[in-house]
Amino acid sequence: MLRIICFFVLVMLLPVCGSASAEESNSAKAGAKSGTDKSVKGKAAKKKAKKTVTKKADSKRVKARKDHVPAVHVKPPEVKLPANVKELRSWSNPDYTRIAVTLDREATFEYHRIGQNPESNLAGRLYLDINGARLNPDVKDVPVADGLLKTARIAQYRQDTVRVVLDLESIKDYKIFTFSDPFRIMIDIRGDRRQEISTLKPVIEAAPPAPPVARDQAANKPHQKVPPPAVSKVRRIVIDPGHGGHDPGAVGPDGTKEKDVVLAIGLKLAKKLREEIGLDVVMTRTTDVFLELQERTAIANQVGADLFLSIHANAAPNRSASGIETYYLSLAKTEKAAQLAAKENGTSLEKVSMLQAVLFDLMANYKINDSAHLAEMVQKELHKKVDSRWPVKSLGVKQGPFYVLVGASMPSILVETAFLSNEKEEQRLKDAHYQDTTADGIAVGVSAYISGAK
């Protein structure tokens, strides 16, 4: 009986326990699901928060980068300073008048000719406008009055333009070209002067020729070897020792300066030409002074010289280069000739090319054939004289666009006596005996030229 009652109670309790277990199970499941949902939501919230923080950080970094971007420095356009016109000069020569305008840097220019008008009695004019230039207050008009030009006037025409006006009196032709270092604009005016103007007294006084007794005594000296030429049209010669003053010219490995050795040779040559040939000799310089290149031929023109000799010493990058060579004014036929012209002109190969362009017009006015003949005679006799005692190469007669020869109205040459860049020839050039022999050779060459130019 007792067993039956216990079984009945157990049966009655089973649904209740099952229900409780189900509820507990469902509750556990619900709790697990709720926990999962909360976990997912928490992760999503964290991810979202992280994205927000990342965006803020990125924004800050971008802003920081923007704040720290280095400034881009834009170079302002280069302001070109105006060229300063420093000087206006003139030279009156027997054949032409030269005007030189000197500037402290290169500048472009243009020029125009205004012809004479007899009806209005207006003189012809030639004017030059220099662009991008300012006029130095010290530069004034230059009265010329030499039969070709009346006056050279200069003024600040516009804020950036300087105008040079040449009041012409007589003109047949004119040439305009430039020199470098410093930059100069050269204007040569040619025309017919009145007779009394064409015999203007030279501003450079020529040294008087040696008296007949002195020449006779010189002729009787044992070392006299220069044959006196017959009377000819050549009576006055200008000797131009190259460089000088602040311009040393070439400098040898031992420090020998071209300006010193060529002055020594020039002085010896002048003495020989006076005493042994009887020529009237004018030196462009007798001391260590600087002369601009255009002044050298201007001196020769002013004194009415019949010949012009410019004495130099050579130099080359190749230290073994040696020999004697003589040049006359013409276009450079070789790169070497152009390089030498650049050296002697104190300028660049580019400027030599520019000079060559104007030489096509300039050369028509110069005695090219006579200059070539003079160069041949001097080269031949100089080499023969030197080679008899010091074996030396003859590099021959060549042509080149040398500023120092531009403008000469007489046969003119440039003699390269030896290479200062060559150690052996540098020592020779320092030797007084070698200098004397060099002067001898040049003098004999001049005498030979004069004999053939009667």
Side-chain angles (χ1 to χ4, degrees):
M1 189 66 179
L2 182 59
R3 290 181 180 177
I4 294 173
I5 292 171
C6 289
F7 178 77
F8 181 74
V9 172
L10 181 61
V11 171
M12 292 294 290
L13 289 175
L14 278 174
V16 177
C17 292
S19 178
S21 297
E23 286 179 4
E24 287 175 1
S25 176
N26 288 337
S27 177
K29 287 181 181 179
K33 184 177 180 181
S34 175
T36 301
D37 289 343
K38 285 180 181 179
S39 175
V40 170
K41 287 180 181 179
K43 285 181 181 179
K46 286 180 181 179
K47 191 173 182 180
K48 185 176 181 180
K50 186 176 180 181
K51 284 183 179 179
T52 303
V53 171
T54 302
K55 284 182 180 179
K56 287 182 179 180
D58 289 342
S59 176
K60 287 181 179 179
R61 281 196 293 270
V62 170
K63 185 177 180 182
R65 281 200 300 271
K66 286 182 179 179
D67 291 341
H68 291 85
V69 169
V72 178
H73 298 286
V74 180
K75 189 177 180 180
E78 186 176 348
V79 179
K80 189 174 181 180
L81 295 175
N84 183 28
V85 179
K86 300 168 63 178
E87 188 178 50
L88 177 67
R89 297 182 64 187
S90 74
W91 291 268
S92 295
N93 307 300
D95 294 333
Y96 67 96
T97 296
R98 171 170 288 181
I99 298 294
V101 186
T102 304
L103 297 86
D104 65 349
R105 69 191 68 197
E106 289 192 32
T108 60
F109 60 90
E110 54 190 68
Y111 53 91
H112 304 275
R113 166 93 183 273
I114 302 176
Q116 284 183 310
N117 187 340
E119 295 180 1
S120 60
N121 200 29
L122 290 175
R125 294 192 301 277
L126 177 67
Y127 69 89
L128 181 82
D129 283 343
I130 307 172
N131 304 313
R134 298 289 297 171
L135 181 63
N136 189 314
D138 297 335
V139 181
K140 306 297 180 185
D141 296 348
V142 176
V144 183
D146 64 354
L148 294 184
L149 290 184
K150 293 180 180 178
T151 309
R153 295 182 283 123
I154 190 166
Q156 191 74 47
Y157 177 62
R158 287 194 293 264
Q159 185 176 1
D160 62 344
T161 304
V162 171
R163 173 168 287 185
V164 178
V165 180
L166 306 183
D167 295 317
L168 308 173
E169 188 167 347
S170 174
I171 182 172
K172 279 185 177 179
D173 190 20
Y174 67 93
K175 301 296 179 187
I176 299 179
F177 52 100
T178 61
F179 280 177
S180 300
D181 303 320
F183 182 71
R184 285 149 289 169
I185 303 170
M186 315 297 297
I187 310 167
D188 284 357
I189 306 293
R190 295 180 182 271
D192 293 323
R193 302 183 194 274
R194 298 191 307 273
Q195 183 62 33
E196 62 270 24
I197 296 295
S198 63
T199 57
L200 287 171
K201 183 180 179 182
V203 297
I204 306 292
E205 293 291 346
V213 175
R215 290 202 297 270
D216 292 341
Q217 290 175 350
N220 294 327
K221 291 180 181 179
H223 72 277
Q224 168 63 22
K225 295 182 180 180
V226 179
V231 176
S232 76
K233 59 183 179 181
V234 178
R235 293 189 179 135
R236 177 173 290 176
I237 183 169
V238 168
I239 298 174
D240 171 47
H243 308 280
H246 65 76
D247 175 16
V251 179
D254 200 31
T256 308
K257 296 176 182 177
E258 179 181 1
K259 67 174 184 176
D260 297 328
V261 295
V262 298
L263 178 58
I265 293 171
L267 290 170
K268 294 175 187 295
L269 175 59
K271 184 177 180 181
K272 291 178 184 296
L273 292 175
R274 288 191 188 111
E275 296 180 356
E276 300 173 5
I277 300 181
L279 289 176
D280 184 5
V281 181
V282 176
M283 300 280 293
T284 58
R285 69 181 182 96
T286 57
T287 58
D288 185 18
V289 296
F290 174 76
L291 286 175
E292 291 187 359
L293 294 174
Q294 79 271 12
E295 291 186 70
R296 299 171 187 259
T297 48
I299 290 172
N301 292 327
Q302 282 180 314
V303 300
D306 299 306
L307 299 178
F308 177 81
L309 273 67
S310 192
I311 311 299
H312 290 258
N314 218 330
N318 179 5
R319 293 298 179 91
S320 64
S322 64
I324 297 168
E325 56 189 356
T326 305
Y327 285 82
Y328 64 95
L329 180 67
S330 189
L331 305 179
K333 301 296 184 183
T334 65
E335 181 71 11
K336 182 189 170 190
Q339 289 173 348
L340 178 61
K343 166 193 163 293
E344 297 297 0
N345 293 345
T347 186
S348 64
L349 279 172
E350 181 183 2
K351 295 295 188 295
V352 167
S353 299
M354 292 172 63
L355 176 61
Q356 298 221 101
V358 303
L359 277 180
F360 280 112
D361 294 328
L362 288 171
M363 286 191 304
N365 295 317
Y366 303 120
K367 301 180 178 180
I368 300 299
N369 292 335
D370 289 340
S371 296
H373 182 51
L374 174 61
E376 287 170 3
M377 292 297 100
V378 169
Q379 175 68 21
K380 176 184 175 182
E381 299 300 336
L382 172 58
H383 175 256
K384 184 190 298 183
K385 211 51 146 161
V386 173
D387 191 53
S388 64
R389 301 192 180 190
W390 295 272
V392 65
K393 297 178 185 176
S394 174
L395 302 177
V397 172
K398 299 176 182 178
Q399 306 167 44
F402 295 94
Y403 281 145
V404 72
L405 302 180
V406 172
S409 58
M410 73 291 300
S412 54
I413 62 173
L414 184 147
V415 184
E416 295 285 0
T417 54
F419 278 77
L420 257 181
S421 51
N422 182 294
E423 290 185 9
K424 184 184 291 184
E425 294 201 346
E426 178 189 16
Q427 297 308 313
R428 291 177 182 175
L429 283 168
K430 291 163 59 176
D431 183 353
H433 187 45
Y434 183 87
Q435 295 171 1
D436 193 66
T437 303
T438 298
D440 257 342
I442 296 173
V444 173
V446 169
S447 179
Y449 170 81
I450 294 174
S451 296
K454 292 184 288 184

